[in-house]
């Protein structure tokens, strides 16, 4: 990658055994996200949903349930930008945008929490995950853009019901920053760090203990947006 020119070149061996969807993610989607940092659009490892006119970032450790949470909000009729990666920018407000309408769902979560999703048309499948184009499924709502009002840190509760609590912005750093700041891009680190610190100063932060009742979770999030 040549960040000064905003260009990238990919060399890929034919029949290398990489699944097509990972090929796309590694060599197209991730590269484009990184190049957009030159325009001060910063890629953040988080799901992003929109409830009414309020955008919500959902972050957390790997396996915390970001994709599951995004899918639950889709099922509840809310708009989803992404289940994993979103571009943040700042004008008068904190904005979020995406360059893809594809989201994924783990097969275990599908079996246990969304059995009706087995009948949906998939964009791509791997042994562990199913990928869906939200813009191509009638009852799903995709949004390419929103204004971010909330940051939610997701943690599994091990219980049926979800609950939320207000969180000091400083407490979110250990969850958001390690999965978002990339040590292999040192030129970006300082600017991205200061940008994210500015984001935390402008949004409301909550911790959500994520239960297994998806309807209750979606109602909890919608009630937050309505408050």
């Amino acid at each position: 990658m040549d960040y000064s020119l905003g260009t990238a070149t990919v060399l890929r061996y034919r029949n290398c055994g990489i699944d097509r969807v990972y090929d796309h993610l590694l060599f197209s989607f991730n590269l484009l996200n990184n190049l957009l940092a030159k325009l001060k659009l910063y890629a953040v490892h988080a799901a992003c949903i929109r409830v009414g006119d309020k955008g919500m970032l959902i972050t957390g450790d790997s396996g915390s349930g970001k994709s599951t949470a995004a899918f639950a909000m889709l099922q509840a009729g809310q708009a989803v930008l992404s289940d994993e990666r979103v571009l943040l920018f700042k004008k008068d407000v904190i904005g979020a945008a995406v360059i893809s309408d594809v989201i994924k769902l783990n097969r275990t979560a599908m079996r246990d929490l969304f059995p009706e999703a087995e009948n949906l048309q998939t964009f791509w499948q791997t042994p562990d995950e199913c990928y869906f184009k939200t813009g191509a499924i009638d009852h799903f709502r995709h949004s390419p853009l929103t204004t971010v009002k909330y940051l939610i840190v997701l943690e599994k509760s091990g219980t049926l019901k979800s609950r939320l609590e207000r969180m000091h912005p400083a407490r979110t750093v250990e969850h958001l920053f390690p999965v978002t700041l990339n040590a292999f891009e040192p030129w970006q680190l300082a600017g991205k760090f200061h940008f994210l610190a500015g984001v935390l100063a402008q949004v409301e932060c909550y911790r959500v203990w994520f239960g297994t009742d998806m309807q209750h979770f979606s109602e909890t999030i919608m009630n937050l947006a309505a408050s």
Side-chain angles (χ1 to χ4, degrees):
M1 296 185 66
D2 188 328
Y3 289 105
S4 64
L5 295 176
T7 62
T9 302
V10 174
L11 175 64
R12 182 184 185 279
Y13 290 100
R14 184 179 300 170
N15 301 322
C16 62
I18 298 176
D19 192 283
R20 192 180 77 177
V21 70
Y22 297 128
D23 190 354
H24 167 73
L25 289 172
L26 289 170
F27 299 133
S28 300
F29 186 72
N30 286 351
L31 286 178
L32 185 54
N33 273 328
N34 287 335
L35 290 173
L36 286 170
K38 291 292 291 184
L39 302 177
K40 299 189 182 303
L41 285 91
Y42 294 104
V44 175
H45 189 72
C48 188
I49 63 174
R50 194 191 75 214
V51 180
D53 61 351
K54 298 177 181 179
M56 299 181 170
L57 295 175
I58 303 177
T59 190
D61 297 337
S62 178
S64 60
K66 294 183 292 295
S67 296
T68 304
F71 203 88
M73 297 309 294
L74 275 176
Q75 295 285 72
Q78 304 304 315
V80 169
L81 281 76
S82 173
D83 71 311
E84 182 175 33
R85 186 81 54 93
V86 64
L87 293 163
L88 298 185
F89 59 93
K90 183 177 180 181
K91 290 188 176 179
D92 297 327
V93 294
I94 303 299
V98 290
I99 57 176
S100 172
D101 66 346
V102 175
I103 70 166
K104 68 179 183 301
L105 184 63
N106 181 278
R107 289 186 183 274
T108 301
M110 181 186 295
R111 181 195 66 214
D112 296 342
L113 304 173
F114 308 105
E116 67 280 5
E118 295 276 2
N119 299 319
L120 295 177
Q121 181 179 356
T122 57
F123 169 71
W124 193 253
Q125 297 187 35
T126 71
D128 299 321
E129 296 170 330
C130 290
Y131 291 76
F132 303 93
K133 282 184 67 67
T134 55
I137 297 176
D138 287 342
H139 64 284
F140 282 177
R141 296 176 59 202
H142 171 71
S143 175
L145 191 69
T146 191
T147 299
V148 178
K149 299 293 187 180
Y150 300 95
L151 172 67
I152 293 169
V153 173
L154 207 62
E155 296 194 33
K156 288 183 176 179
S157 67
T159 61
L160 183 65
K161 303 296 185 182
S162 298
R163 60 184 176 87
L164 61 82
E165 60 186 23
R166 192 69 183 264
M167 194 175 190
H168 191 283
R171 299 294 301 273
T172 69
V173 169
E174 63 181 290
H175 301 278
L176 177 64
F177 282 40
V179 295
T180 294
L181 296 175
N182 189 341
F184 294 103
E185 299 156 5
W187 71 272
Q188 282 194 48
L189 284 177
K192 195 170 187 178
F193 181 90
H194 289 297
F195 173 80
L196 290 175
V199 169
L200 295 181
Q202 290 190 238
V203 300
E204 294 183 23
C205 299
Y206 288 84
R207 186 195 310 271
V208 170
W209 300 98
F210 192 26
T212 56
D213 184 331
M214 293 297 100
Q215 181 176 348
H216 183 266
F217 166 75
S218 61
E219 290 172 351
T220 299
I221 298 302
M222 289 187 286
N223 288 338
L224 173 61
S227 63

